[in-house]
């Protein structure tokens, strides 16, 4: 299943003219996606430009007043087609989807100080603020604090990794030379993505391991 603009582009790439596209809002729609091209797997591509659409997937507030329960009249189908023609073009030309809009608004809130002094904005680039917004949205959806924390750290420091101990504590290996700015950045990410009171030990350039086990010593480091 695809987003509306993806299904429209697939039909166009298979030879359907834009004027022949018809966004078909059926009586029942799949809840697992927004749109799918009818006859997309025909050996010669879609024979018609019909795209089956679940109008409630992204645009419930727009279509709820338009579509009433029961069989959809032909006039309503044509009205929905007009609306969906406009919506897919807006999505295609703006290059954004629903998640991108959420991230954009969250990014604006962060830049306005939504996280307070714990997030020193001067220590992050605009692109890094965008990543914080993206992974924070994912955290709100999944609740996977360790995974989001790890992915966010890897986006800032390519060689960083996170280990969750049996007691629930977190060990962060940054693998990067420490500086005052980097310490503030890591502290900010820790406060945003890990629950208050969560134990988190931070190592900058010393990998942890096992004490007095020479066979597993890495270079000149003593493992513990």
């Amino acid at each position: 299943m695809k987003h509306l603009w993806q299904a429209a582009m697939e039909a166009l790439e298979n030879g359907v003219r834009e004027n022949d596209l018809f966004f078909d809002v059926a009586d029942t729609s799949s809840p697992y996606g927004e749109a799918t091209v009818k006859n997309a797997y025909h050996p010669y591509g879609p024979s018609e430009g019909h795209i089956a659409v679940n109008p409630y997937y992204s645009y419930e507030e727009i279509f709820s007043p338009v579509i009433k329960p029961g069989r959809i009249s032909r006039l309503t189908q044509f009205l929905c087609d007009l609306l969906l023609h406009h919506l897919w073009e807006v999505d295609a030309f703006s290059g954004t989807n629903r998640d991108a809009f959420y991230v954009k608004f969250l990014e604006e809130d962060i830049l306005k100080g939504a996280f307070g002094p714990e997030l020193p904005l001067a220590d992050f680039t605009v692109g890094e603020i965008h990543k914080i917004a993206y992974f924070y949205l994912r955290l709100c959806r999944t609740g996977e604090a360790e995974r989001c924390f790890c992915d966010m750290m890897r986006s800032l420091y390519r060689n960083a990794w996170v280990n969750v101990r049996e007691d629930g504590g977190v060990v962060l290996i940054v693998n990067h030379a420490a500086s005052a700015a980097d310490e503030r950045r890591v502290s900010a990410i820790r406060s945003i993505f890990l629950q208050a009171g969560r134990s988190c030990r931070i190592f900058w350039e010393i990998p942890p391991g096992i004490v007095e086990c020479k066979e597993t010593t890495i270079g000149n480091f003593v493992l513990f």
Side-chain angles (χ1 to χ4, degrees), residues 70-87:
R71 185 175 180 82
I72 301 175
S73 68
R74 194 63 175 162
L75 178 60
T76 302
Q77 286 183 321
F78 279 111
L79 176 59
C80 291
D81 175 59
L82 289 173
L83 292 172
L84 289 165
H85 262 89
H86 173 70
L87 292 171

PDB file of all heavy atoms in Angstrom, residues 70-87:
ATOM      1  N   GLY A  70     -22.791   4.287   4.261  1.00  0.00           N
ATOM      2  CA  GLY A  70     -23.621   3.650   3.240  1.00  0.00           C
ATOM      3  C   GLY A  70     -22.998   3.763   1.865  1.00  0.00           C
ATOM      4  O   GLY A  70     -21.837   4.150   1.703  1.00  0.00           O
ATOM      5  N   ARG A  71     -23.749   3.450   0.862  1.00  0.00           N
ATOM      6  CA  ARG A  71     -23.256   3.474  -0.512  1.00  0.00           C
ATOM      7  C   ARG A  71     -22.939   4.909  -0.944  1.00  0.00           C
ATOM      8  O   ARG A  71     -23.719   5.830  -0.723  1.00  0.00           O
ATOM      9  CB  ARG A  71     -24.303   2.866  -1.449  1.00  0.00           C
ATOM     10  CG  ARG A  71     -23.811   2.733  -2.890  1.00  0.00           C
ATOM     11  CD  ARG A  71     -24.830   2.007  -3.742  1.00  0.00           C
ATOM     12  NE  ARG A  71     -24.368   1.888  -5.113  1.00  0.00           N
ATOM     13  CZ  ARG A  71     -23.532   0.960  -5.547  1.00  0.00           C
ATOM     14  NH1 ARG A  71     -23.055   0.065  -4.686  1.00  0.00           N
ATOM     15  NH2 ARG A  71     -23.160   0.911  -6.805  1.00  0.00           N
ATOM     16  N   ILE A  72     -21.797   5.082  -1.584  1.00  0.00           N
ATOM     17  CA  ILE A  72     -21.362   6.396  -2.029  1.00  0.00           C
ATOM     18  C   ILE A  72     -21.967   6.694  -3.397  1.00  0.00           C
ATOM     19  O   ILE A  72     -21.820   5.917  -4.339  1.00  0.00           O
ATOM     20  CB  ILE A  72     -19.825   6.463  -2.106  1.00  0.00           C
ATOM     21  CG1 ILE A  72     -19.220   6.164  -0.734  1.00  0.00           C
ATOM     22  CG2 ILE A  72     -19.356   7.818  -2.610  1.00  0.00           C
ATOM     23  CD1 ILE A  72     -17.710   6.077  -0.737  1.00  0.00           C
ATOM     24  N   SER A  73     -22.635   7.819  -3.506  1.00  0.00           N
ATOM     25  CA  SER A  73     -23.270   8.176  -4.782  1.00  0.00           C
ATOM     26  C   SER A  73     -22.219   8.541  -5.820  1.00  0.00           C
ATOM     27  O   SER A  73     -21.076   8.887  -5.493  1.00  0.00           O
ATOM     28  CB  SER A  73     -24.230   9.353  -4.578  1.00  0.00           C
ATOM     29  OG  SER A  73     -23.497  10.531  -4.265  1.00  0.00           O
ATOM     30  N   ARG A  74     -22.618   8.491  -7.075  1.00  0.00           N
ATOM     31  CA  ARG A  74     -21.701   8.798  -8.166  1.00  0.00           C
ATOM     32  C   ARG A  74     -21.243  10.262  -8.097  1.00  0.00           C
ATOM     33  O   ARG A  74     -20.074  10.561  -8.355  1.00  0.00           O
ATOM     34  CB  ARG A  74     -22.392   8.530  -9.511  1.00  0.00           C
ATOM     35  CG  ARG A  74     -21.457   8.490 -10.708  1.00  0.00           C
ATOM     36  CD  ARG A  74     -20.458   7.372 -10.598  1.00  0.00           C
ATOM     37  NE  ARG A  74     -19.623   7.252 -11.780  1.00  0.00           N
ATOM     38  CZ  ARG A  74     -18.484   6.595 -11.805  1.00  0.00           C
ATOM     39  NH1 ARG A  74     -18.039   6.001 -10.700  1.00  0.00           N
ATOM     40  NH2 ARG A  74     -17.769   6.516 -12.916  1.00  0.00           N
ATOM     41  N   LEU A  75     -22.144  11.154  -7.733  1.00  0.00           N
ATOM     42  CA  LEU A  75     -21.783  12.560  -7.623  1.00  0.00           C
ATOM     43  C   LEU A  75     -20.726  12.768  -6.544  1.00  0.00           C
ATOM     44  O   LEU A  75     -19.758  13.520  -6.732  1.00  0.00           O
ATOM     45  CB  LEU A  75     -23.024  13.404  -7.312  1.00  0.00           C
ATOM     46  CG  LEU A  75     -22.787  14.906  -7.112  1.00  0.00           C
ATOM     47  CD1 LEU A  75     -22.190  15.520  -8.382  1.00  0.00           C
ATOM     48  CD2 LEU A  75     -24.089  15.601  -6.735  1.00  0.00           C
ATOM     49  N   THR A  76     -20.892  12.068  -5.407  1.00  0.00           N
ATOM     50  CA  THR A  76     -19.914  12.176  -4.326  1.00  0.00           C
ATOM     51  C   THR A  76     -18.557  11.628  -4.746  1.00  0.00           C
ATOM     52  O   THR A  76     -17.510  12.176  -4.393  1.00  0.00           O
ATOM     53  CB  THR A  76     -20.406  11.433  -3.071  1.00  0.00           C
ATOM     54  OG1 THR A  76     -21.665  11.968  -2.666  1.00  0.00           O
ATOM     55  CG2 THR A  76     -19.414  11.555  -1.922  1.00  0.00           C
ATOM     56  N   GLN A  77     -18.578  10.544  -5.549  1.00  0.00           N
ATOM     57  CA  GLN A  77     -17.321   9.981  -6.027  1.00  0.00           C
ATOM     58  C   GLN A  77     -16.562  10.982  -6.895  1.00  0.00           C
ATOM     59  O   GLN A  77     -15.349  11.119  -6.782  1.00  0.00           O
ATOM     60  CB  GLN A  77     -17.588   8.690  -6.813  1.00  0.00           C
ATOM     61  CG  GLN A  77     -17.956   7.500  -5.929  1.00  0.00           C
ATOM     62  CD  GLN A  77     -18.132   6.229  -6.736  1.00  0.00           C
ATOM     63  OE1 GLN A  77     -18.680   6.257  -7.840  1.00  0.00           O
ATOM     64  NE2 GLN A  77     -17.664   5.118  -6.212  1.00  0.00           N
ATOM     65  N   PHE A  78     -17.293  11.695  -7.749  1.00  0.00           N
ATOM     66  CA  PHE A  78     -16.643  12.683  -8.606  1.00  0.00           C
ATOM     67  C   PHE A  78     -16.119  13.867  -7.781  1.00  0.00           C
ATOM     68  O   PHE A  78     -15.059  14.407  -8.071  1.00  0.00           O
ATOM     69  CB  PHE A  78     -17.611  13.177  -9.683  1.00  0.00           C
ATOM     70  CG  PHE A  78     -17.718  12.237 -10.861  1.00  0.00           C
ATOM     71  CD1 PHE A  78     -18.875  11.528 -11.098  1.00  0.00           C
ATOM     72  CD2 PHE A  78     -16.642  12.068 -11.717  1.00  0.00           C
ATOM     73  CE1 PHE A  78     -18.959  10.658 -12.178  1.00  0.00           C
ATOM     74  CE2 PHE A  78     -16.720  11.203 -12.804  1.00  0.00           C
ATOM     75  CZ  PHE A  78     -17.886  10.490 -13.033  1.00  0.00           C
ATOM     76  N   LEU A  79     -16.868  14.258  -6.751  1.00  0.00           N
ATOM     77  CA  LEU A  79     -16.415  15.329  -5.878  1.00  0.00           C
ATOM     78  C   LEU A  79     -15.138  14.922  -5.145  1.00  0.00           C
ATOM     79  O   LEU A  79     -14.180  15.709  -5.047  1.00  0.00           O
ATOM     80  CB  LEU A  79     -17.506  15.685  -4.868  1.00  0.00           C
ATOM     81  CG  LEU A  79     -17.150  16.744  -3.809  1.00  0.00           C
ATOM     82  CD1 LEU A  79     -16.757  18.054  -4.475  1.00  0.00           C
ATOM     83  CD2 LEU A  79     -18.318  16.961  -2.847  1.00  0.00           C
ATOM     84  N   CYS A  80     -15.108  13.689  -4.657  1.00  0.00           N
ATOM     85  CA  CYS A  80     -13.913  13.191  -3.982  1.00  0.00           C
ATOM     86  C   CYS A  80     -12.728  13.130  -4.938  1.00  0.00           C
ATOM     87  O   CYS A  80     -11.594  13.430  -4.563  1.00  0.00           O
ATOM     88  CB  CYS A  80     -14.187  11.809  -3.386  1.00  0.00           C
ATOM     89  SG  CYS A  80     -15.340  11.809  -1.995  1.00  0.00           S
ATOM     90  N   ASP A  81     -13.006  12.749  -6.178  1.00  0.00           N
ATOM     91  CA  ASP A  81     -11.942  12.696  -7.181  1.00  0.00           C
ATOM     92  C   ASP A  81     -11.313  14.078  -7.387  1.00  0.00           C
ATOM     93  O   ASP A  81     -10.094  14.213  -7.471  1.00  0.00           O
ATOM     94  CB  ASP A  81     -12.502  12.159  -8.500  1.00  0.00           C
ATOM     95  CG  ASP A  81     -11.480  12.204  -9.620  1.00  0.00           C
ATOM     96  OD1 ASP A  81     -10.416  11.578  -9.485  1.00  0.00           O
ATOM     97  OD2 ASP A  81     -11.742  12.896 -10.629  1.00  0.00           O
ATOM     98  N   LEU A  82     -12.135  15.105  -7.440  1.00  0.00           N
ATOM     99  CA  LEU A  82     -11.619  16.469  -7.602  1.00  0.00           C
ATOM    100  C   LEU A  82     -10.734  16.869  -6.416  1.00  0.00           C
ATOM    101  O   LEU A  82      -9.662  17.451  -6.581  1.00  0.00           O
ATOM    102  CB  LEU A  82     -12.782  17.459  -7.750  1.00  0.00           C
ATOM    103  CG  LEU A  82     -13.577  17.400  -9.064  1.00  0.00           C
ATOM    104  CD1 LEU A  82     -14.786  18.321  -8.987  1.00  0.00           C
ATOM    105  CD2 LEU A  82     -12.689  17.791 -10.243  1.00  0.00           C
ATOM    106  N   LEU A  83     -11.213  16.559  -5.211  1.00  0.00           N
ATOM    107  CA  LEU A  83     -10.438  16.890  -4.015  1.00  0.00           C
ATOM    108  C   LEU A  83      -9.102  16.143  -3.985  1.00  0.00           C
ATOM    109  O   LEU A  83      -8.054  16.716  -3.677  1.00  0.00           O
ATOM    110  CB  LEU A  83     -11.245  16.556  -2.755  1.00  0.00           C
ATOM    111  CG  LEU A  83     -12.488  17.412  -2.487  1.00  0.00           C
ATOM    112  CD1 LEU A  83     -13.284  16.828  -1.329  1.00  0.00           C
ATOM    113  CD2 LEU A  83     -12.082  18.853  -2.177  1.00  0.00           C
ATOM    114  N   LEU A  84      -9.147  14.868  -4.353  1.00  0.00           N
ATOM    115  CA  LEU A  84      -7.943  14.047  -4.293  1.00  0.00           C
ATOM    116  C   LEU A  84      -6.944  14.421  -5.380  1.00  0.00           C
ATOM    117  O   LEU A  84      -5.729  14.292  -5.187  1.00  0.00           O
ATOM    118  CB  LEU A  84      -8.314  12.565  -4.385  1.00  0.00           C
ATOM    119  CG  LEU A  84      -9.010  12.021  -3.120  1.00  0.00           C
ATOM    120  CD1 LEU A  84      -9.679  10.690  -3.404  1.00  0.00           C
ATOM    121  CD2 LEU A  84      -8.004  11.876  -1.986  1.00  0.00           C
ATOM    122  N   HIS A  85      -7.442  14.900  -6.521  1.00  0.00           N
ATOM    123  CA  HIS A  85      -6.529  15.409  -7.541  1.00  0.00           C
ATOM    124  C   HIS A  85      -5.694  16.566  -6.987  1.00  0.00           C
ATOM    125  O   HIS A  85      -4.480  16.649  -7.217  1.00  0.00           O
ATOM    126  CB  HIS A  85      -7.323  15.885  -8.774  1.00  0.00           C
ATOM    127  CG  HIS A  85      -7.374  14.869  -9.874  1.00  0.00           C
ATOM    128  ND1 HIS A  85      -8.360  13.914  -9.953  1.00  0.00           N
ATOM    129  CD2 HIS A  85      -6.545  14.649 -10.926  1.00  0.00           C
ATOM    130  CE1 HIS A  85      -8.155  13.156 -11.020  1.00  0.00           C
ATOM    131  NE2 HIS A  85      -7.056  13.585 -11.625  1.00  0.00           N
ATOM    132  N   HIS A  86      -6.363  17.446  -6.277  1.00  0.00           N
ATOM    133  CA  HIS A  86      -5.649  18.589  -5.690  1.00  0.00           C
ATOM    134  C   HIS A  86      -4.681  18.121  -4.607  1.00  0.00           C
ATOM    135  O   HIS A  86      -3.523  18.581  -4.551  1.00  0.00           O
ATOM    136  CB  HIS A  86      -6.656  19.584  -5.121  1.00  0.00           C
ATOM    137  CG  HIS A  86      -6.022  20.703  -4.353  1.00  0.00           C
ATOM    138  ND1 HIS A  86      -5.278  21.701  -4.953  1.00  0.00           N
ATOM    139  CD2 HIS A  86      -5.995  20.976  -3.016  1.00  0.00           C
ATOM    140  CE1 HIS A  86      -4.829  22.534  -4.035  1.00  0.00           C
ATOM    141  NE2 HIS A  86      -5.250  22.124  -2.857  1.00  0.00           N
ATOM    142  N   LEU A  87      -5.114  17.186  -3.758  1.00  0.00           N
ATOM    143  CA  LEU A  87      -4.297  16.755  -2.629  1.00  0.00           C
ATOM    144  C   LEU A  87      -3.044  16.010  -3.080  1.00  0.00           C
ATOM    145  O   LEU A  87      -1.964  16.206  -2.505  1.00  0.00           O
ATOM    146  CB  LEU A  87      -5.130  15.886  -1.687  1.00  0.00           C
ATOM    147  CG  LEU A  87      -6.251  16.620  -0.937  1.00  0.00           C
ATOM    148  CD1 LEU A  87      -7.150  15.638  -0.216  1.00  0.00           C
ATOM    149  CD2 LEU A  87      -5.654  17.620   0.059  1.00  0.00           C
TER     150      LEU A  87
END
